[in-house]
Amino acid sequence: MSVRLGLNDFIACCGSTKFAEQMVADGPFATYDEAVVAARNIWFNKVDVHGWLEAFAAHPQIGQNPSSVAHKSSTSAQLHLQFSFFLSLWSKGEQSAALATATDSTLQELYEWNSQYKQKFGFVFLICASGRSTPEILTELKRRFSNRPIVELEIASQEQIKITELRLHKLFTNTSIQDQKS
Amino acid sequence: MSVRLGLNDFIACCGSTKFAEQMVADGPFATYDEAVVAARNIWFNKVDVHGWLEAFAAHPQIGQNPSSVAHKSSTSAQLHLQFSFFLSLWSKGEQSAALATATDSTLQELYEWNSQYKQKFGFVFLICASGRSTPEILTELKRRFSNRPIVELEIASQEQIKITELRLHKLFTNTSIQDQKS
Protein backbone atom coordinates (compact mmCIF):
# COMPACT_ATOMS: atom_id res chain seq x y z
CA MET A 1 0.00 0.00 0.00
CA SER A 2 1.34 3.42 -0.93
CA VAL A 3 0.28 6.65 0.76
CA ARG A 4 -1.33 9.01 -1.73
CA LEU A 5 0.19 12.46 -1.26
CA GLY A 6 -0.13 15.35 -3.68
CA LEU A 7 1.77 18.53 -4.54
CA ASN A 8 0.05 20.58 -1.82
CA ASP A 9 0.92 17.99 0.85
CA PHE A 10 4.60 18.29 -0.01
CA ILE A 11 4.43 22.10 -0.28
CA ALA A 12 3.06 22.07 3.28
CA CYS A 13 6.14 20.07 4.36
CA CYS A 14 8.66 22.29 2.57
CA GLY A 15 7.84 25.48 0.69
CA SER A 16 10.13 24.84 -2.28
CA THR A 17 8.14 24.23 -5.47
CA LYS A 18 10.99 22.20 -6.96
CA PHE A 19 11.06 20.02 -3.85
CA ALA A 20 7.32 19.33 -3.98
CA GLU A 21 7.28 18.64 -7.73
CA GLN A 22 10.19 16.24 -7.43
CA MET A 23 8.55 14.43 -4.49
CA VAL A 24 5.45 13.90 -6.62
CA ALA A 25 7.63 12.65 -9.49
CA ASP A 26 9.57 10.26 -7.21
CA GLY A 27 6.47 8.96 -5.37
CA PRO A 28 4.27 7.34 -4.35
CA PHE A 29 6.08 6.14 -1.24
CA ALA A 30 5.10 2.92 0.53
CA THR A 31 6.48 4.09 3.90
CA TYR A 32 7.55 7.20 5.77
CA ASP A 33 11.17 5.99 5.62
CA GLU A 34 11.05 5.81 1.82
CA ALA A 35 9.65 9.34 1.67
CA VAL A 36 12.41 10.65 3.95
CA VAL A 37 15.17 9.11 1.83
CA ALA A 38 13.69 10.76 -1.27
CA ALA A 39 13.15 14.07 0.55
CA ARG A 40 16.75 14.28 1.76
CA ASN A 41 18.14 13.42 -1.69
CA ILE A 42 15.96 16.02 -3.40
CA TRP A 43 16.59 18.75 -0.81
CA PHE A 44 20.39 18.44 -0.77
CA ASN A 45 21.12 17.38 -4.36
CA LYS A 46 18.39 18.75 -6.60
CA VAL A 47 16.98 21.92 -5.01
CA ASP A 48 19.26 24.88 -5.74
CA VAL A 49 19.89 27.88 -3.49
CA HIS A 50 16.86 29.73 -4.91
CA GLY A 51 14.67 26.78 -3.86
CA TRP A 52 16.20 26.82 -0.38
CA LEU A 53 15.44 30.53 -0.04
CA GLU A 54 11.90 29.93 -1.34
CA ALA A 55 11.39 27.29 1.38
CA PHE A 56 12.85 29.55 4.10
CA ALA A 57 10.59 32.43 2.99
CA ALA A 58 7.53 30.22 3.51
CA HIS A 59 8.15 30.32 7.29
CA PRO A 60 6.51 33.03 9.37
CA GLN A 61 8.75 35.21 11.50
CA ILE A 62 7.94 36.61 14.90
CA GLY A 63 7.03 40.22 14.26
CA GLN A 64 6.52 39.54 10.57
CA ASN A 65 3.21 41.38 10.29
CA PRO A 66 3.99 45.11 10.39
CA SER A 67 0.39 46.05 11.15
CA SER A 68 0.43 44.14 14.42
CA VAL A 69 4.07 44.12 15.50
CA ALA A 70 5.95 47.05 14.06
CA HIS A 71 8.01 48.19 17.01
CA LYS A 72 9.03 47.47 20.56
CA SER A 73 5.68 48.46 22.00
CA SER A 74 4.03 45.27 20.75
CA THR A 75 1.58 43.94 23.27
CA SER A 76 2.24 40.78 25.20
CA ALA A 77 -0.85 39.14 23.66
CA GLN A 78 0.34 39.96 20.14
CA LEU A 79 3.79 38.47 20.74
CA HIS A 80 2.36 35.30 22.29
CA LEU A 81 -0.10 34.89 19.45
CA GLN A 82 2.62 35.32 16.83
CA PHE A 83 4.94 32.94 18.66
CA SER A 84 2.17 30.37 18.72
CA PHE A 85 1.72 30.83 14.96
CA PHE A 86 5.50 30.61 14.45
CA LEU A 87 5.52 27.27 16.23
CA SER A 88 2.20 25.92 15.04
CA LEU A 89 3.44 25.17 11.55
CA TRP A 90 5.52 22.39 13.00
CA SER A 91 4.23 19.01 14.03
CA LYS A 92 1.33 19.16 16.47
CA GLY A 93 2.35 18.48 20.05
CA GLU A 94 5.98 19.46 19.39
CA GLN A 95 5.51 23.05 20.52
CA SER A 96 4.61 22.49 24.18
CA ALA A 97 8.12 23.06 25.58
CA ALA A 98 8.56 26.36 23.78
CA LEU A 99 5.06 27.66 24.57
CA ALA A 100 5.28 26.69 28.24
CA THR A 101 8.50 28.67 28.69
CA ALA A 102 7.63 31.79 26.67
CA THR A 103 7.60 34.97 28.76
CA ASP A 104 7.03 38.52 27.56
CA SER A 105 10.69 39.41 27.94
CA THR A 106 12.09 36.32 26.15
CA LEU A 107 9.58 36.78 23.31
CA GLN A 108 10.46 40.45 22.98
CA GLU A 109 14.14 39.57 22.87
CA LEU A 110 13.46 36.78 20.36
CA TYR A 111 11.62 39.25 18.17
CA GLU A 112 14.50 41.73 18.24
CA TRP A 113 17.19 39.12 17.55
CA ASN A 114 15.07 37.66 14.74
CA SER A 115 15.03 41.05 13.04
CA GLN A 116 18.80 41.40 13.32
CA TYR A 117 19.24 37.83 12.06
CA LYS A 118 17.14 38.49 8.97
CA GLN A 119 19.01 41.71 8.28
CA LYS A 120 22.39 39.94 8.41
CA PHE A 121 21.54 36.70 6.60
CA GLY A 122 18.65 37.66 4.32
CA PHE A 123 16.27 34.95 5.53
CA VAL A 124 14.36 34.13 8.73
CA PHE A 125 15.96 32.27 11.64
CA LEU A 126 15.05 28.59 11.24
CA ILE A 127 15.20 26.07 14.03
CA CYS A 128 13.47 22.76 14.58
CA ALA A 129 11.93 23.71 17.94
CA SER A 130 10.86 20.20 18.88
CA GLY A 131 11.42 19.75 22.62
CA ARG A 132 13.27 23.07 23.02
CA SER A 133 12.32 25.76 25.52
CA THR A 134 12.05 29.39 24.43
CA PRO A 135 15.25 30.39 26.30
CA GLU A 136 17.05 27.55 24.50
CA ILE A 137 15.80 28.81 21.15
CA LEU A 138 16.98 32.33 22.04
CA THR A 139 20.42 31.08 23.13
CA GLU A 140 20.81 29.17 19.88
CA LEU A 141 19.79 32.23 17.85
CA LYS A 142 22.41 34.39 19.59
CA ARG A 143 25.09 31.71 19.11
CA ARG A 144 24.32 31.23 15.43
CA PHE A 145 24.19 34.98 14.76
CA SER A 146 28.01 35.19 14.73
CA ASN A 147 28.31 32.60 11.92
CA ARG A 148 29.42 33.45 8.41
CA PRO A 149 26.46 33.66 5.97
CA ILE A 150 27.46 30.47 4.06
CA VAL A 151 27.72 28.51 7.34
CA GLU A 152 24.32 29.74 8.50
CA LEU A 153 22.78 28.89 5.13
CA GLU A 154 23.92 25.30 5.52
CA ILE A 155 22.66 25.09 9.15
CA ALA A 156 19.29 26.54 8.09
CA SER A 157 19.05 23.88 5.37
CA GLN A 158 19.68 21.16 7.98
CA GLU A 159 16.99 22.63 10.26
CA GLN A 160 14.59 22.85 7.31
CA ILE A 161 14.96 19.13 6.51
CA LYS A 162 14.34 18.25 10.19
CA ILE A 163 11.12 20.29 10.10
CA THR A 164 10.20 18.68 6.77
CA GLU A 165 10.71 15.21 8.25
CA LEU A 166 8.43 16.02 11.23
CA ARG A 167 5.75 17.23 8.86
CA LEU A 168 6.12 14.20 6.57
CA HIS A 169 5.78 11.98 9.64
CA LYS A 170 2.58 13.77 10.60
CA LEU A 171 1.23 13.35 7.06
CA PHE A 172 1.99 9.62 7.02
CA THR A 173 0.49 9.11 10.49
CA ASN A 174 -2.71 10.98 9.62
CA THR A 175 -3.04 9.19 6.29
CA SER A 176 -2.56 5.80 7.93
CA ILE A 177 -5.33 6.52 10.43
CA GLN A 178 -7.64 7.57 7.58
CA ASP A 179 -6.74 4.43 5.62
CA GLN A 180 -7.55 2.25 8.64
CA LYS A 181 -10.90 3.99 9.12
CA SER A 182 -11.96 3.62 5.49
CA MET B 1 48.75 58.29 -0.16
CA SER B 2 45.38 56.55 -0.51
CA VAL B 3 43.90 55.46 -3.81
CA ARG B 4 40.60 57.23 -4.46
CA LEU B 5 38.06 54.63 -5.56
CA GLY B 6 34.29 55.10 -5.72
CA LEU B 7 31.18 52.96 -5.64
CA ASN B 8 31.26 52.27 -9.39
CA ASP B 9 34.87 51.13 -9.20
CA PHE B 10 33.97 48.50 -6.60
CA ILE B 11 30.78 47.49 -8.45
CA ALA B 12 33.00 46.81 -11.48
CA CYS B 13 35.11 44.49 -9.29
CA CYS B 14 32.16 42.63 -7.79
CA GLY B 15 28.53 43.16 -8.73
CA SER B 16 27.14 43.05 -5.18
CA THR B 17 25.78 46.44 -4.09
CA LYS B 18 26.36 45.60 -0.42
CA PHE B 19 29.98 44.71 -1.20
CA ALA B 20 30.61 47.99 -3.04
CA GLU B 21 28.91 50.14 -0.40
CA GLN B 22 30.87 48.47 2.39
CA MET B 23 34.16 48.91 0.49
CA VAL B 24 33.42 52.63 0.20
CA ALA B 25 32.59 52.75 3.93
CA ASP B 26 35.78 50.87 4.89
CA GLY B 27 38.07 52.85 2.52
CA PRO B 28 40.07 54.64 1.38
CA PHE B 29 42.83 52.03 1.17
CA ALA B 30 46.49 52.99 1.09
CA THR B 31 47.54 49.82 -0.74
CA TYR B 32 46.16 46.99 -2.83
CA ASP B 33 46.87 44.59 0.05
CA GLU B 34 44.72 46.64 2.44
CA ALA B 35 41.88 46.65 -0.09
CA VAL B 36 42.09 42.87 -0.52
CA VAL B 37 41.91 42.24 3.24
CA ALA B 38 38.80 44.42 3.44
CA ALA B 39 37.27 42.84 0.33
CA ARG B 40 37.69 39.28 1.64
CA ASN B 41 36.23 40.21 5.03
CA ILE B 42 33.21 41.93 3.47
CA TRP B 43 32.59 39.22 0.88
CA PHE B 44 32.69 36.27 3.29
CA ASN B 45 31.32 37.85 6.49
CA LYS B 46 29.00 40.68 5.54
CA VAL B 47 27.51 39.95 2.11
CA ASP B 48 24.61 37.50 2.43
CA VAL B 49 23.55 34.85 -0.09
CA HIS B 50 21.36 37.35 -1.96
CA GLY B 51 24.44 39.56 -2.43
CA TRP B 52 26.45 36.59 -3.69
CA LEU B 53 23.72 35.78 -6.23
CA GLU B 54 23.58 39.45 -7.26
CA ALA B 55 27.34 39.38 -7.92
CA PHE B 56 27.13 36.09 -9.85
CA ALA B 57 24.26 37.46 -11.97
CA ALA B 58 26.46 40.38 -13.04
CA HIS B 59 28.63 37.95 -15.05
CA PRO B 60 27.79 37.28 -18.69
CA GLN B 61 27.26 33.70 -19.74
CA ILE B 62 28.24 32.16 -23.04
CA GLY B 63 25.01 31.99 -25.03
CA GLN B 64 23.36 34.50 -22.75
CA ASN B 65 21.89 36.63 -25.51
CA PRO B 66 18.93 34.68 -26.94
CA SER B 67 18.78 36.83 -30.08
CA SER B 68 22.28 35.81 -31.15
CA VAL B 69 22.80 32.37 -29.63
CA ALA B 70 19.52 30.61 -29.06
CA HIS B 71 20.33 27.10 -30.17
CA LYS B 72 22.99 24.73 -31.43
CA SER B 73 23.22 26.37 -34.82
CA SER B 74 25.11 29.38 -33.44
CA THR B 75 27.80 30.49 -35.82
CA SER B 76 31.46 30.08 -35.00
CA ALA B 77 31.94 33.88 -35.08
CA GLN B 78 29.11 34.42 -32.61
CA LEU B 79 30.50 31.89 -30.14
CA HIS B 80 34.02 33.32 -30.36
CA LEU B 81 32.71 36.85 -29.90
CA GLN B 82 30.69 35.84 -26.84
CA PHE B 83 33.58 33.88 -25.37
CA SER B 84 35.78 36.93 -25.79
CA PHE B 85 33.14 39.01 -23.98
CA PHE B 86 32.83 36.34 -21.27
CA LEU B 87 36.59 36.55 -20.68
CA SER B 88 37.05 40.26 -21.27
CA LEU B 89 35.49 41.24 -17.96
CA TRP B 90 38.49 39.83 -16.23
CA SER B 91 41.86 41.48 -15.95
CA LYS B 92 43.33 42.51 -19.30
CA GLY B 93 46.01 40.13 -20.51
CA GLU B 94 44.68 37.26 -18.36
CA GLN B 95 42.54 35.84 -21.13
CA SER B 96 45.23 34.90 -23.66
CA ALA B 97 45.48 31.22 -22.71
CA ALA B 98 41.73 30.67 -22.99
CA LEU B 99 41.36 32.61 -26.24
CA ALA B 100 44.33 30.92 -27.89
CA THR B 101 42.87 27.47 -27.22
CA ALA B 102 39.21 28.12 -28.07
CA THR B 103 37.96 26.03 -30.99
CA ASP B 104 34.43 25.88 -32.41
CA SER B 105 33.79 22.48 -30.86
CA THR B 106 35.08 23.31 -27.36
CA LEU B 107 33.13 26.57 -27.35
CA GLN B 108 29.95 24.81 -28.47
CA GLU B 109 30.44 22.23 -25.72
CA LEU B 110 31.17 24.97 -23.18
CA TYR B 111 27.95 26.72 -24.17
CA GLU B 112 25.89 23.54 -23.73
CA TRP B 113 27.44 22.63 -20.35
CA ASN B 114 26.99 26.22 -19.17
CA SER B 115 23.26 25.96 -19.86
CA GLN B 116 22.99 22.71 -17.93
CA TYR B 117 25.04 24.19 -15.10
CA LYS B 118 22.76 27.20 -14.80
CA GLN B 119 19.70 24.98 -14.87
CA LYS B 120 21.03 22.82 -12.02
CA PHE B 121 22.56 25.50 -9.77
CA GLY B 122 20.52 28.62 -10.59
CA PHE B 123 23.53 30.83 -11.41
CA VAL B 124 26.21 31.02 -14.12
CA PHE B 125 29.38 28.92 -14.01
CA LEU B 126 32.10 31.07 -12.47
CA ILE B 127 35.78 30.39 -12.84
CA CYS B 128 38.83 32.59 -12.56
CA ALA B 129 40.16 31.80 -16.04
CA SER B 130 43.56 33.38 -15.50
CA GLY B 131 46.16 31.20 -17.22
CA ARG B 132 43.70 28.40 -18.04
CA SER B 133 43.11 26.99 -21.51
CA THR B 134 39.59 26.55 -22.83
CA PRO B 135 39.77 22.71 -22.58
CA GLU B 136 40.86 23.13 -18.94
CA ILE B 137 37.88 25.41 -18.25
CA LEU B 138 35.57 22.84 -19.86
CA THR B 139 37.07 19.97 -17.83
CA GLU B 140 36.61 21.95 -14.62
CA LEU B 141 32.99 22.76 -15.53
CA LYS B 142 32.21 19.06 -16.12
CA ARG B 143 33.91 18.05 -12.86
CA ARG B 144 32.11 20.68 -10.78
CA PHE B 145 28.74 19.86 -12.35
CA SER B 146 28.38 16.78 -10.12
CA ASN B 147 28.73 18.82 -6.91
CA ARG B 148 25.86 19.41 -4.50
CA PRO B 149 24.36 22.93 -4.87
CA ILE B 150 25.70 24.16 -1.49
CA VAL B 151 29.24 22.97 -2.37
CA GLU B 152 29.11 24.66 -5.75
CA LEU B 153 27.82 27.88 -4.17
CA GLU B 154 30.88 27.98 -1.94
CA ILE B 155 33.28 27.24 -4.82
CA ALA B 156 31.64 29.96 -6.93
CA SER B 157 32.12 32.42 -4.06
CA GLN B 158 35.82 31.53 -3.92
CA GLU B 159 36.17 32.03 -7.69
CA GLN B 160 34.31 35.36 -7.41
CA ILE B 161 36.76 36.71 -4.83
CA LYS B 162 39.72 35.63 -7.03
CA ILE B 163 38.18 37.55 -9.93
CA THR B 164 37.49 40.52 -7.63
CA GLU B 165 41.12 40.53 -6.48
CA LEU B 166 42.38 40.56 -10.09
CA ARG B 167 40.11 43.49 -10.87
CA LEU B 168 41.13 45.37 -7.71
CA HIS B 169 44.76 44.83 -8.70
CA LYS B 170 44.04 46.30 -12.11
CA LEU B 171 42.31 49.31 -10.51
CA PHE B 172 45.22 49.97 -8.16
CA THR B 173 47.78 49.58 -10.96
CA ASN B 174 45.90 51.94 -13.29
CA THR B 175 45.35 54.47 -10.52
CA SER B 176 49.02 54.38 -9.57
CA ILE B 177 50.04 55.04 -13.16
CA GLN B 178 47.61 57.97 -13.31
CA ASP B 179 48.93 59.28 -9.99
CA GLN B 180 52.51 59.13 -11.30
CA LYS B 181 51.50 60.98 -14.47
CA SER B 182 49.62 63.71 -12.62
Side-chain angles (χ1 to χ4, degrees):
Chain A
M1 182 204 79
S2 292
V3 174
R4 294 173 300 277
L5 297 172
L7 194 68
N8 288 341
D9 294 313
F10 294 123
I11 285 277
C13 294
C14 172
S16 152
T17 312
K18 175 81 180 280
F19 171 84
E21 287 173 349
Q22 198 64 50
M23 284 294 279
V24 170
D26 287 8
F29 306 106
T31 63
Y32 162 71
D33 288 345
E34 268 188 23
V36 166
V37 169
R40 294 189 68 86
N41 176 45
I42 291 167
W43 179 247
F44 289 115
N45 297 313
K46 298 187 177 172
V47 176
D48 69 15
V49 62
H50 298 284
W52 281 13
L53 293 171
E54 184 190 8
F56 299 166
H59 290 268
Q61 185 187 4
I62 298 179
Q64 187 178 39
N65 184 351
S67 66
S68 60
V69 181
H71 46 71
K72 288 187 180 180
S73 64
S74 316
T75 69
S76 166
Q78 281 171 341
L79 277 174
H80 280 267
L81 186 67
Q82 291 211 345
F83 189 54
S84 173
F85 179 56
F86 172 68
L87 293 167
S88 69
L89 290 193
W90 301 333
S91 187
K92 205 172 176 179
E94 301 287 350
Q95 52 181 293
S96 53
L99 279 180
T101 54
T103 65
D104 286 5
S105 63
T106 51
L107 284 186
Q108 187 64 47
E109 209 178 345
L110 198 58
Y111 160 57
E112 287 160 16
W113 276 88
N114 256 315
S115 298
Q116 288 181 57
Y117 180 96
K118 192 171 182 191
Q119 192 168 14
K120 175 173 178 183
F121 297 108
F123 48 83
V124 298
F125 174 67
L126 273 194
I127 186 165
C128 185
S130 175
R132 291 183 201 251
S133 71
T134 297
E136 280 171 357
I137 292 173
L138 186 55
T139 301
E140 190 64 4
L141 169 48
K142 290 176 182 174
R143 190 188 65 77
R144 280 170 48 183
F145 186 76
S146 61
N147 282 334
R148 287 193 300 135
I150 182 70
V151 171
E152 197 51 33
L153 181 70
E154 188 149 21
I155 292 174
S157 78
Q158 299 281 355
E159 294 300 311
Q160 173 64 60
I161 197 73
K162 287 183 208 167
I163 295 166
T164 303
E165 288 176 16
L166 284 177
R167 293 177 184 174
L168 277 174
H169 188 262
K170 193 178 171 188
L171 274 183
F172 270 80
T173 310
N174 288 351
T175 312
S176 298
I177 291 167
Q178 285 166 5
D179 281 351
Q180 286 164 13
K181 283 182 182 171
S182 64
Chain B
M1 182 205 79
S2 292
V3 174
R4 295 173 299 278
L5 296 172
L7 194 69
N8 288 342
D9 294 314
F10 294 123
I11 284 278
C13 292
C14 172
S16 153
T17 312
K18 175 83 180 280
F19 171 85
E21 287 173 350
Q22 198 63 49
M23 284 294 280
V24 169
D26 288 7
F29 307 105
T31 63
Y32 162 72
D33 288 345
E34 269 188 22
V36 165
V37 169
R40 294 189 68 86
N41 177 45
I42 292 166
W43 179 246
F44 288 116
N45 297 313
K46 298 187 176 174
V47 176
D48 69 14
V49 62
H50 299 285
W52 280 14
L53 292 171
E54 184 190 6
F56 299 166
H59 289 268
Q61 183 187 5
I62 297 179
Q64 187 178 39
N65 183 352
S67 67
S68 61
V69 181
H71 46 70
K72 289 187 178 179
S73 64
S74 316
T75 69
S76 166
Q78 281 170 340
L79 277 174
H80 280 267
L81 186 66
Q82 291 211 347
F83 189 54
S84 174
F85 180 56
F86 171 70
L87 293 167
S88 69
L89 291 194
W90 300 331
S91 186
K92 205 172 175 178
E94 300 287 350
Q95 53 181 290
S96 52
L99 279 181
T101 54
T103 64
D104 286 5
S105 62
T106 53
L107 284 186
Q108 186 64 46
E109 209 178 346
L110 198 58
Y111 160 57
E112 287 161 15
W113 276 89
N114 255 313
S115 298
Q116 287 182 57
Y117 180 96
K118 192 172 181 191
Q119 192 168 14
K120 175 173 178 183
F121 297 107
F123 49 82
V124 298
F125 174 68
L126 274 194
I127 186 166
C128 185
S130 174
R132 293 183 200 250
S133 70
T134 296
E136 278 170 358
I137 292 172
L138 186 56
T139 300
E140 191 63 2
L141 169 48
K142 290 177 183 174
R143 189 187 65 77
R144 282 171 47 184
F145 185 77
S146 62
N147 283 334
R148 286 194 301 135
I150 183 68
V151 172
E152 196 52 33
L153 181 69
E154 189 149 21
I155 293 174
S157 78
Q158 299 280 355
E159 294 299 311
Q160 173 64 60
I161 198 72
K162 287 185 208 167
I163 295 166
T164 303
E165 289 177 15
L166 283 177
R167 292 175 184 174
L168 278 173
H169 189 261
K170 192 178 168 188
L171 274 182
F172 271 79
T173 310
N174 288 352
T175 311
S176 299
I177 291 169
Q178 285 167 5
D179 281 351
Q180 286 165 11
K181 283 181 182 171
S182 64

